[in-house]
């Protein structure tokens, strides 16, 4: 298999020496090489990308240092409302709560 690359190859800068010159009091400064084609994703886009990669809401929240509620909001996940237990209506009994009348002969 042959791979060809068109255009010039990127050249990484030569590492700078961390020693100072004899006549200088300032330490050598390292410049951070920032590629020009770096794209920073918004937090929302990062959440969606991590979810598509199969991470759970809690994993995404931990990785991005945000709350799980924020992740849910970005993913438009609404928390299910707790099931309300219906209170039973008072039942009306047809029998009276008075004691039974004594019978004769007992």
């Amino acid at each position: 298999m042959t791979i060809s690359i068109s255009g010039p190859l990127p050249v990484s800068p030569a590492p700078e020496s961390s020693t100072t010159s004899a006549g200088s009091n300032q330490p050598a400064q390292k410049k951070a090489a920032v590629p020009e084609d770096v794209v920073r994703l918004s937090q929302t886009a990062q959440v969606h990308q991590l979810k598509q990669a199969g991470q759970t809401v809690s994993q995404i929240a931990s990785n991005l240092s945000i709350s799980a509620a924020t992740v849910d909001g970005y993913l438009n996940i609404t928390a299910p409302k707790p099931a309300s237990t219906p209170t039973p209506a008072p039942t009306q009994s047809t029998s009276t709560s008075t004691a039974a009348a004594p019978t004769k002969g007992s």
Side-chain angles (χ1 to χ4, degrees):
M1 171 184 236
T2 304
I3 299 175
S4 63
I5 301 173
S6 61
L9 292 175
V11 178
S12 57
E16 294 181 17
S17 157
S18 63
T19 60
T20 60
S21 61
S24 173
N25 289 343
Q26 298 176 353
Q29 295 179 358
K30 294 182 181 179
K31 294 183 179 180
V34 178
E36 294 177 17
D37 59 349
V38 171
V39 176
R40 290 198 41 111
L41 296 176
S42 67
Q43 204 168 47
T44 304
Q46 290 176 10
V47 167
H48 284 281
Q49 186 177 30
L50 293 172
K51 184 64 177 172
Q52 285 180 343
Q55 290 191 9
T56 64
V57 170
S58 59
Q59 288 172 330
I60 296 169
S62 176
N63 288 340
L64 298 179
S65 300
I66 58 177
S67 70
T70 302
V71 174
D72 285 343
Y74 288 154
L75 296 174
N76 294 325
I77 298 174
T78 57
K81 293 181 181 178
S84 61
T85 55
T87 55
T91 58
Q92 294 182 349
S93 174
T94 56
S95 64
T96 60
S97 60
T98 58
T103 58
K104 289 187 180 184
S106 305

